[in-house]
Amino acid sequence: MESGDVAESDGLERLVRSAAVLRWELVPNSARRHTALVLADTLGVIMAGARRTEVAAYVSGEAGEGKLCGRLPTGPAQILDGALTSVEAATAAFVNGTAGTFLELDEGYRPTGHPGVHVIPAALAAAQALHSSGIELLTATLAGYEVTARLFEAYQLTYPLHPHGHFGAVGAALAVALLRGVDPLEPACIAATLPLLPVWQACFEGATARNAWAGSAAALGIAANRMATAGFTGARGALDVTFGELVGHPRDVSALSRHLDHADLAITQDYLKLHSACALSHAALDAVLTIAPDVDIASVSHVVVETVSNNLKINRQPRPNSLSTRFSLPYSVAAALVHGHTGPEAFEPDERVLALARRVEVRAADDLERHWPDRAPARVIVQTTAGERTVQVDNPRGHHANPAGDEELRRKFMMLCPRLDAEALLQRLLDVAAVPDCARLLA
C-alpha cells in the first residue's frame, strides 16, 4: 500500500464513528423540538413539490402536459442471474450493469471508456419491457455506444475522475429513447445534467460500491426517459461545463459533430478483455503469460514492467481484496506468474502473489510512450537466477488491432457461463438479429 492511502479515508471514518454514538436521550429538549420542526418543514416541502405536474407524471408513468411520448419501458425485464428473475426495467438495468463490472472483464473503447456495460444493460431491459425485436435492440445499442464513445473522444477527463458512469448514462438514455421510438434529445440532456463523477480511489481501495457506477448509469438511462416524458428538462450545455471545465477539458470536440459513418462505427475500435483485471495492465499480462511457462517462480528475483505513463496510476500495491488487486499492476503481473493464468480466481488475495508483487518494478519507457494512444504497449523483463527473459507486447490480445479469435471468446463465455445449455445460449445471442421479441431472448 502506498503511503497516505489510509489517511485519505480517516476523515470520513472519524465522522461516521462520531455520529454513530449519538443517543436521543442525551439531546437537549430545545434541540429535540428544533429537530421535529425541521422534519415537519422538510416533509411539507416534499409534499408540495410532489404536487408538481412533472413529479406526478413521473410517478404515474404518464406523459406530462404537452409532451409527446412513446411507451415507457415499465414492463418487466430480467436480471441475468441463474433464475433470470423478472423485475422492473430500471432495476434490471441497474443490477445487470453493476454485475457486469465485478470481474473487470467488461468490454472497452480504446483508448478509454466502457460504453458497452453502460448502454447494453439499459437497452436490453428496455427491449425486454417493450417487446422490441433483436434488430431494434442492436440498433439502439450501436447508437448509444457511438454517442458514449464520441463523448470520450471529445473530452479529456481530469485524473482522478474514472471513466465509468457519466458518458455511459447519456448513451444509455439515447438507446432507450430509440427503442421507445421518441426523440432522444431530452432524455440524453437529462442524463447529461445528472453526471456521475466517480474517482479511481474507490478502485484502489477495493470499494465494491464502485461496481454500481455502470449500473447507476444504465438505470439513469431509463429514468431519464421517464423524466423527459413527465416534463423534466435537461441542460444543453451541462456536459461542456462539467467535462470541458470542471473535471476535464476539450480534446476533440469535432467528435460531437462528425457525421455517422456506418462503415466506421466506434464499436469497431473496441477491446474485448481476456484478463480479469484493469485494462491498463493487459499488455503486460500478455507478455507475462508468454514467459510464465518457462519460469520457476522460486527463482524470480526481480520483475520490471516498462509501459506508458498513462498506466502508472495502477503502479501501487493492493489492499487485501479482489477488487484492489485487479487495479494493482504489480499484483496483476505477479498473479499471472504465480498462477499461470488471469482468470477471476487469480485475483483473490494470495500471500505468495503479494510477496512477488513487492519485487515488481513499474516504470514508463520513452520508446513505448511515443506509440500511445495508437498502441497500448508494455515490456516485461523477468530476472531469475538462471538469467533474464524479456517480452514486449504492442497491443494486448482482444484489442481491435490484435483481435481475439472466435474460439478464445467462446472459451471466455463458457468459463463465465457454466450452464448445460451455454453453447445454445451463446448461439442464440449471436443470432439476436433474428429474435422477434427480446422478452424471450433468454427464455
Side-chain angles (χ1 to χ4, degrees), residues 35-51:
T35 301
L37 174 63
V38 170
L39 174 65
D41 179 79
T42 302
L43 292 179
V45 170
I46 292 171
M47 287 186 283
R51 293 195 294 273

Side-chain angles (χ1 to χ4, degrees), residues 108-123:
Y109 178 66
R110 300 297 84 192
T112 191
H114 299 264
V117 79
H118 296 74
V119 173
I120 291 171

Side-chain angles (χ1 to χ4, degrees), residues 47 67 191 212 291 293 312 316 327 401 417 428:
M47 287 186 283
K67 294 295 175 183
I291 300 171
L312 298 183
R316 55 180 60 236
F327 283 87
C417 186
R428 185 166 175 79

Side-chain angles (χ1 to χ4, degrees), residues 55-403:
V55 177
Y58 183 86
V59 171
S60 69
E62 298 175 354
E65 183 177 353
K67 294 295 175 183
L68 299 175
C69 72
R71 286 188 306 136
L72 285 166
T74 54
Q78 292 171 311
I79 295 173
L80 305 189
D81 57 3
L84 293 176
T85 305
S86 291
V87 293
E88 191 272 330
T91 301
F94 173 78
V95 174
N96 291 334
T98 299
T101 58
F102 258 86
L103 299 180
E104 273 301 295
L105 280 164
D106 49 300
E107 175 265 11
Y109 178 66
R110 300 297 84 192
T112 191
H114 299 264
V117 79
H118 296 74
V119 173
I120 291 171
L124 175 62
Q128 289 182 323
L130 295 168
H131 296 275
S132 304
S133 70
I135 289 177
E136 289 170 326
L137 170 59
L138 291 171
T139 303
T141 297
L142 280 172
Y145 193 109
E146 189 78 14
V147 165
T148 306
R150 290 198 189 189
L151 287 170
F152 277 111
E153 292 177 33
Y155 297 103
Q156 175 67 52
L157 305 182
T158 301
Y159 182 81
L161 187 67
H162 190 278
H164 277 195
H166 31 72
F167 299 148
V170 181
L174 175 131
V176 172
L178 293 180
L179 286 163
R180 296 177 57 218
V182 302
D183 184 344
L185 177 60
E186 205 65 60
C189 287
I190 289 173
T193 307
L194 304 171
L196 296 160
L197 300 178
V199 293
W200 280 87
Q201 185 63 27
C203 305
F204 303 149
E205 291 184 14
T208 51
R210 166 263 177 198
N211 296 316
W213 294 336
S216 297
L220 178 55
I222 293 179
N225 274 268
R226 188 165 181 167
M227 292 174 70
T229 297
F232 288 82
T233 59
R236 270 54 178 169
L239 280 179
D240 195 48
V241 173
T242 304
F243 300 100
E245 299 178 25
L246 294 177
V247 290
H249 60 266
R251 174 165 53 187
D252 179 12
V253 293
S254 69
L256 302 179
S257 57
R258 190 169 68 239
H259 291 296
L260 181 68
D261 182 355
H262 286 84
D264 187 27
L265 294 171
I267 202 168
T268 64
Q269 305 299 308
D270 76 339
Y271 172 46
L272 292 163
K273 288 184 173 183
L274 298 177
H275 306 299
S276 183
C278 175
L280 304 184
S281 66
H282 286 205
L285 293 179
D286 273 3
V288 170
L289 291 178
T290 301
I291 300 171
D294 304 322
V295 170
D296 176 6
I297 295 301
S299 71
V300 176
S301 58
H302 192 60
V303 179
V304 176
V305 178
E306 295 183 331
T307 185
V308 298
S309 57
N310 179 70
N311 299 345
L312 298 183
K313 61 173 69 74
I314 60 170
N315 178 23
R316 55 180 60 236
Q317 295 297 324
R319 303 287 181 90
N321 62 74
S322 62
L323 177 56
S324 187
T325 59
R326 287 177 162 89
F327 283 87
S328 165
L329 184 49
Y331 189 96
S332 298
V333 165
L337 277 170
V338 170
H339 297 297
H341 70 88
T342 53
E345 61 274 19
F347 294 90
E348 294 300 325
D350 184 315
E351 287 299 326
R352 296 172 303 157
V353 179
L354 283 168
L356 181 56
R358 297 186 187 102
R359 302 199 297 276
V360 176
E361 175 190 355
V362 180
R363 63 196 184 204
D366 290 341
D367 64 316
L368 300 181
E369 192 77 37
R370 288 193 292 272
H371 298 294
W372 173 261
D374 295 328
R375 300 179 190 173
R379 184 165 47 239
V380 174
I381 306 158
V382 177
Q383 299 170 354
T384 72
T385 54
E388 184 176 285
R389 183 84 187 277
T390 301
V391 172
Q392 179 175 323
V393 171
D394 287 336
N395 283 304
R397 191 73 171 161
H399 188 282
H400 61 84
N402 183 20

